[in-house]
Short mmCIF file of all heavy atoms in Angstrom, two decimals:
data_model
loop_
_atom_site.label_atom_id
_atom_site.label_comp_id
_atom_site.label_asym_id
_atom_site.label_seq_id
_atom_site.Cartn_x
_atom_site.Cartn_y
_atom_site.Cartn_z
N ALA W 257 -27.12 21.03 -197.38
CA ALA W 257 -28.35 21.68 -197.67
C ALA W 257 -29.24 20.96 -198.69
O ALA W 257 -30.38 20.82 -198.38
CB ALA W 257 -28.06 23.10 -198.35
N MET W 258 -28.58 20.39 -199.73
CA MET W 258 -29.33 19.64 -200.70
C MET W 258 -29.92 18.28 -200.12
O MET W 258 -31.14 18.14 -200.31
CB MET W 258 -28.41 19.32 -201.86
CG MET W 258 -28.93 18.54 -202.97
SD MET W 258 -27.78 18.16 -204.25
CE MET W 258 -26.65 17.01 -203.58
N GLN W 259 -29.25 17.61 -199.29
CA GLN W 259 -29.71 16.35 -198.81
C GLN W 259 -30.83 16.58 -197.69
O GLN W 259 -31.74 15.83 -197.64
CB GLN W 259 -28.63 15.44 -198.28
CG GLN W 259 -27.63 15.09 -199.34
CD GLN W 259 -28.21 14.19 -200.45
OE1 GLN W 259 -29.36 13.75 -200.38
NE2 GLN W 259 -27.30 13.63 -201.37
N GLN W 260 -30.47 17.55 -196.85
CA GLN W 260 -31.35 17.93 -195.70
C GLN W 260 -32.75 18.30 -196.25
O GLN W 260 -33.86 17.93 -195.90
CB GLN W 260 -30.76 18.99 -194.80
CG GLN W 260 -31.71 19.11 -193.41
CD GLN W 260 -31.57 17.76 -192.73
OE1 GLN W 260 -30.50 17.45 -192.32
NE2 GLN W 260 -32.82 17.26 -192.41
N ALA W 261 -32.74 19.10 -197.34
CA ALA W 261 -34.07 19.48 -198.05
C ALA W 261 -34.78 18.29 -198.56
O ALA W 261 -35.96 18.27 -198.43
CB ALA W 261 -33.69 20.47 -199.19
N ALA W 262 -34.01 17.29 -199.11
CA ALA W 262 -34.56 16.13 -199.69
C ALA W 262 -35.25 15.31 -198.53
O ALA W 262 -36.36 14.80 -198.62
CB ALA W 262 -33.55 15.31 -200.51
N PHE W 263 -34.49 15.14 -197.45
CA PHE W 263 -35.15 14.43 -196.30
C PHE W 263 -36.38 15.05 -195.95
O PHE W 263 -37.45 14.40 -195.57
CB PHE W 263 -34.12 14.36 -195.10
CG PHE W 263 -32.85 13.58 -195.33
CD1 PHE W 263 -31.65 13.90 -194.95
CD2 PHE W 263 -32.88 12.19 -196.05
CE1 PHE W 263 -30.45 13.14 -195.20
CE2 PHE W 263 -31.80 11.55 -196.27
CZ PHE W 263 -30.58 11.93 -195.84
N ASP W 264 -36.36 16.34 -195.66
CA ASP W 264 -37.50 17.10 -195.07
C ASP W 264 -38.64 17.02 -196.09
O ASP W 264 -39.76 16.77 -195.57
CB ASP W 264 -37.05 18.60 -194.88
CG ASP W 264 -36.01 18.64 -193.64
OD1 ASP W 264 -35.76 17.61 -193.03
OD2 ASP W 264 -35.36 19.73 -193.67
N ALA W 265 -38.47 17.07 -197.40
CA ALA W 265 -39.43 17.09 -198.29
C ALA W 265 -40.27 15.67 -198.29
O ALA W 265 -41.47 15.73 -198.45
CB ALA W 265 -38.93 17.27 -199.72
N LEU W 266 -39.51 14.66 -197.98
CA LEU W 266 -40.20 13.36 -198.02
C LEU W 266 -40.51 12.98 -196.55
O LEU W 266 -40.77 11.76 -196.30
CB LEU W 266 -39.20 12.31 -198.63
CG LEU W 266 -39.47 12.02 -200.15
CD1 LEU W 266 -39.48 13.30 -200.93
CD2 LEU W 266 -38.54 10.98 -200.71
N LEU W 488 -25.65 17.35 -208.36
CA LEU W 488 -27.06 17.01 -208.18
C LEU W 488 -27.29 15.46 -208.48
O LEU W 488 -27.93 14.87 -207.75
CB LEU W 488 -27.92 17.93 -209.09
CG LEU W 488 -29.44 17.61 -209.17
CD1 LEU W 488 -30.07 17.98 -207.86
CD2 LEU W 488 -30.11 18.34 -210.36
N ALA W 503 -35.29 10.01 -205.39
CA ALA W 503 -34.93 11.31 -204.89
C ALA W 503 -35.77 12.41 -205.38
O ALA W 503 -36.30 12.48 -206.56
CB ALA W 503 -33.43 11.61 -205.24
N PRO W 504 -36.21 13.39 -204.56
CA PRO W 504 -37.04 14.51 -204.91
C PRO W 504 -36.10 15.55 -205.64
O PRO W 504 -35.72 16.52 -205.06
CB PRO W 504 -37.58 15.09 -203.68
CG PRO W 504 -36.58 14.67 -202.58
CD PRO W 504 -35.84 13.54 -203.07
N ILE W 505 -35.81 15.23 -206.95
CA ILE W 505 -34.69 16.02 -207.63
C ILE W 505 -35.02 17.51 -207.90
O ILE W 505 -34.10 18.32 -207.71
CB ILE W 505 -34.42 15.31 -209.04
CG1 ILE W 505 -33.06 15.70 -209.50
CG2 ILE W 505 -35.59 15.61 -210.06
CD1 ILE W 505 -32.26 14.55 -209.63
N GLU W 506 -36.34 17.88 -207.92
CA GLU W 506 -36.68 19.26 -208.03
C GLU W 506 -36.37 20.13 -206.79
O GLU W 506 -35.94 21.17 -206.74
CB GLU W 506 -38.21 19.51 -208.40
CG GLU W 506 -38.55 19.06 -209.86
CD GLU W 506 -38.89 17.53 -209.86
OE1 GLU W 506 -39.02 16.84 -208.66
OE2 GLU W 506 -39.03 16.91 -210.94
N VAL W 507 -36.76 19.33 -205.59
CA VAL W 507 -36.39 19.99 -204.39
C VAL W 507 -34.91 20.10 -204.13
O VAL W 507 -34.40 21.18 -203.73
CB VAL W 507 -36.99 19.04 -203.25
CG1 VAL W 507 -36.46 19.50 -201.82
CG2 VAL W 507 -38.39 18.86 -203.30
N MET W 508 -34.15 19.14 -204.57
CA MET W 508 -32.61 19.21 -204.49
C MET W 508 -32.06 20.41 -205.32
O MET W 508 -31.26 21.15 -204.94
CB MET W 508 -32.06 17.88 -204.66
CG MET W 508 -32.55 16.77 -203.74
SD MET W 508 -32.08 15.07 -204.32
CE MET W 508 -30.52 14.92 -203.46
N GLN W 509 -32.67 20.53 -206.57
CA GLN W 509 -32.21 21.48 -207.41
C GLN W 509 -32.56 22.80 -206.94
O GLN W 509 -31.74 23.71 -207.03
CB GLN W 509 -32.82 21.25 -208.86
CG GLN W 509 -32.43 22.37 -209.84
CD GLN W 509 -30.98 22.36 -210.24
OE1 GLN W 509 -30.43 21.43 -210.88
NE2 GLN W 509 -30.27 23.34 -209.78
N ALA W 510 -33.73 23.00 -206.43
CA ALA W 510 -34.23 24.18 -205.91
C ALA W 510 -33.20 24.72 -204.62
O ALA W 510 -32.95 25.83 -204.47
CB ALA W 510 -35.67 24.19 -205.35
N GLU W 511 -32.90 23.72 -203.86
CA GLU W 511 -32.06 24.00 -202.74
C GLU W 511 -30.59 24.48 -203.23
O GLU W 511 -29.99 25.34 -202.63
CB GLU W 511 -31.88 22.84 -201.80
CG GLU W 511 -31.23 23.11 -200.47
CD GLU W 511 -31.81 24.26 -199.62
OE1 GLU W 511 -33.04 24.47 -199.69
OE2 GLU W 511 -31.13 24.92 -198.97
N LEU W 512 -30.18 23.83 -204.26
CA LEU W 512 -28.84 24.29 -204.87
C LEU W 512 -28.97 25.65 -205.36
O LEU W 512 -28.05 26.42 -205.28
CB LEU W 512 -28.38 23.25 -205.97
CG LEU W 512 -27.88 21.84 -205.49
CD1 LEU W 512 -27.52 21.07 -206.87
CD2 LEU W 512 -26.72 22.05 -204.69
N ASP W 513 -30.06 25.95 -205.99
CA ASP W 513 -30.33 27.30 -206.61
C ASP W 513 -30.16 28.29 -205.44
O ASP W 513 -29.65 29.33 -205.48
CB ASP W 513 -31.71 27.39 -207.30
CG ASP W 513 -31.75 26.57 -208.59
OD1 ASP W 513 -30.67 26.19 -209.04
OD2 ASP W 513 -32.84 26.35 -208.98
N ARG W 514 -30.94 27.91 -204.35
CA ARG W 514 -30.99 28.89 -203.14
C ARG W 514 -29.61 29.10 -202.64
O ARG W 514 -29.14 30.12 -202.26
CB ARG W 514 -31.94 28.23 -202.06
CG ARG W 514 -32.38 29.20 -201.11
CD ARG W 514 -32.63 28.59 -199.76
NE ARG W 514 -31.53 27.90 -199.24
CZ ARG W 514 -30.42 28.41 -198.73
NH1 ARG W 514 -30.37 29.69 -198.59
NH2 ARG W 514 -29.44 27.59 -198.40
#
Side-chain angles (χ1 to χ4, degrees):
M258 176 175 75
Q259 297 292 3
Q260 191 64 57
F263 292 142
D264 295 347
L266 268 55
L488 177 67
I505 201 118
E506 294 84 10
V507 172
M508 296 168 91
Q509 178 65 68
E511 189 56 32
L512 286 179
D513 294 343
R514 196 208 57 74

